[in-house]
Amino acid sequence: MPPFEPASQLCRGFYDDVLAPALHGIAHSAALLGHGSEVLGYDTERSTDHDWGPRAQIFVAAGDRAAARARIQAALPPAYRGWPVEIGRDDLPLEHRVTVDTWPGWLVAELGVDATRALDAVDWLLLPQQRLLGVVAGPVFADPTSALAETRRRLAWYPDGVWWWLLACQWRRLDQEEPLVQRTAEVADDLGSAVVTARLVRDAMRLALLMARRYAPYAKWLGTAFGRLDHPDRLDRHLADAVRAADPAGRQQSLGRAYQALAGRHAALPGATALDPALRPFHDRPALVLGAGRFVDDCLARVTDERLRALPLFGSVDQLSDNVDLLTRPALAGGLRAFYETAAPVTPPPR
């Protein structure tokens, strides 16, 4: 096996040495986008055991697709820098991974929507964050018209109103379960207490990424992405302590510190209110909570889109569900549009 190098480097060399010469005279853009740890820059030597090797997406005008594909097919070597050009896994056939499409056509296949046009609020809610990362995170090798750069700039982060609504939805998840760590333990359900703790830790990590304006990858890389944030408030340590705690008291104590760190991060967001981060009893029960509902309300106060304000706080498609078969199939995720558009209106909260 040849020495490992990140696929971003391997594929850039593959484009420069093989694909660009083959496409000389055909206007095109090229990148490494879509699925795979290499798009996010997380690939390691372990990644090379499947679906890994020299590959790229080539974007051309519709009328140039056939010619570009023929030229690429004729130019592809059996291997590049020692890595086979035909890639496969399990019982799937080996084939090269150089695709040729129009930029809008590829976006529709990847996201379920032509993201070269303006997106409305529901469009944004139907885009899983991992799929958005597949468009904005990978390296671009050629973009002479800046078409890729312009789309990636617009997809780089949510519009402010959508972002505040998603923050409210993520705070709601904490609000709904923060007293349950103590309550499950109170009935001698230590395993249930640990499971609720793990759920809250995961939701806190995703909230921290939202606050930092970073799309969250799927489960395999969530901890990696969260770990690359700055944590001067020791949020990462508090969450690690919570999942490692041997008893409910330790879990509640560590989660409480994590909630207070998140409250501090909320206060630092432009336009947010600095709410009291002190922990408090959950009504007359012994559980200590932040009272995350206060942060839900503060986020919603910054949402002016009446369409969003009328929705129940179930969030975007990947706040609503973490089902892999749903989130990896744009047509299925897009099929939820009717769900969002017909969701029973609720009374909008006061501004």
Side-chain angles (χ1 to χ4, degrees):
M1 180 180 293
F4 173 77
E5 61 178 311
S8 58
Q9 298 176 21
L10 177 72
C11 295
R12 182 175 293 278
F14 181 58
Y15 169 75
D16 290 340
D17 297 340
V18 177
L19 301 179
L23 293 168
H24 180 72
I26 297 179
H28 67 277
S29 300
L32 175 63
L33 306 177
H35 71 279
S37 56
E38 60 268 41
V39 173
L40 306 182
Y42 296 155
D43 53 326
T44 66
E45 190 167 353
R46 174 65 65 192
S47 308
T48 65
D49 64 5
H50 71 286
D51 284 351
W52 190 97
R55 66 183 182 96
Q57 290 85 27
I58 304 298
F59 306 108
V60 298
D64 289 332
R65 285 179 294 190
R69 287 170 181 154
R71 288 206 200 174
I72 289 169
Q73 186 65 50
L76 289 178
Y80 179 75
R81 295 185 185 174
W83 295 99
V85 169
E86 292 191 336
I87 305 168
R89 62 182 169 90
D90 303 328
D91 58 350
L92 298 179
L94 296 176
E95 58 185 358
H96 73 77
R97 301 297 177 88
V98 182
T99 63
V100 178
D101 203 344
T102 65
W103 179 230
W106 184 86
L107 288 168
V108 170
E110 186 67 18
L111 300 178
V113 64
D114 178 3
T116 62
R117 64 168 178 79
L119 303 181
D120 65 21
V122 175
D123 286 329
W124 282 103
L125 300 184
L126 294 173
L127 297 177
Q129 294 186 41
Q130 173 67 33
R131 306 296 282 197
L132 285 164
L133 278 173
V135 177
V136 304
V140 172
F141 308 138
D143 188 21
T145 66
S146 298
L148 274 63
E150 174 59 22
T151 303
R152 282 158 55 103
R153 181 191 64 78
R154 289 191 295 102
L155 293 180
W157 192 244
Y158 299 107
D160 273 359
V162 175
W163 176 50
W164 281 109
W165 190 76
L166 295 177
L167 284 168
C169 294
Q170 197 65 24
W171 274 113
R172 176 66 80 208
R173 293 175 67 93
L174 296 181
D175 177 49
Q176 290 169 339
E177 296 196 4
E178 57 179 337
L180 301 187
V181 174
Q182 184 276 333
R183 181 64 179 128
T184 49
E186 195 173 49
V187 294
D189 181 8
D190 188 65
L191 176 59
S193 173
V195 168
V196 172
T197 297
R199 284 172 55 87
L200 287 165
V201 166
R202 179 186 176 191
D203 282 336
M205 292 166 65
R206 290 181 63 93
L207 177 57
L209 285 162
L210 270 176
M211 288 180 174
R213 297 175 184 255
R214 305 281 182 86
Y215 292 129
Y218 66 106
K220 177 165 60 172
W221 302 116
L222 178 62
T224 300
F226 173 76
R228 294 187 181 183
L229 299 178
D230 292 329
H231 298 292
D233 52 11
R234 295 176 58 82
L235 175 61
D236 56 340
R237 176 52 48 201
H238 300 325
L239 294 178
D241 288 345
V243 294
R244 293 170 182 160
D247 56 69
R251 294 174 197 133
Q252 182 170 256
Q253 184 179 62
S254 295
L255 281 172
R257 291 170 179 160
Y259 298 150
Q260 291 178 309
L262 288 168
R265 295 191 186 195
H266 175 84
L269 296 177
T273 304
L275 301 174
D276 181 7
L279 302 181
R280 58 211 64 208
F282 181 68
H283 302 297
D284 58 352
R285 297 185 177 184
L288 285 178
V289 298
L290 177 67
R294 300 176 296 135
F295 295 81
V296 174
D297 294 340
D298 193 56
C299 293
L300 288 177
R302 283 142 189 82
V303 178
T304 59
D305 186 326
E306 294 300 335
R307 192 178 186 185
L308 289 176
R309 291 176 59 81
L311 284 174
L313 296 179
F314 41 55
S316 63
V317 63
D318 47 9
Q319 289 174 309
L320 185 66
S321 173
D322 61 3
N323 183 275
V324 173
D325 289 320
L326 170 64
L327 300 181
T328 57
R329 300 182 185 184
L332 288 180
L336 291 173
R337 174 174 291 278
F339 169 77
Y340 281 92
E341 292 181 341
T342 62
V346 296
T347 303
R351 293 182 181 175

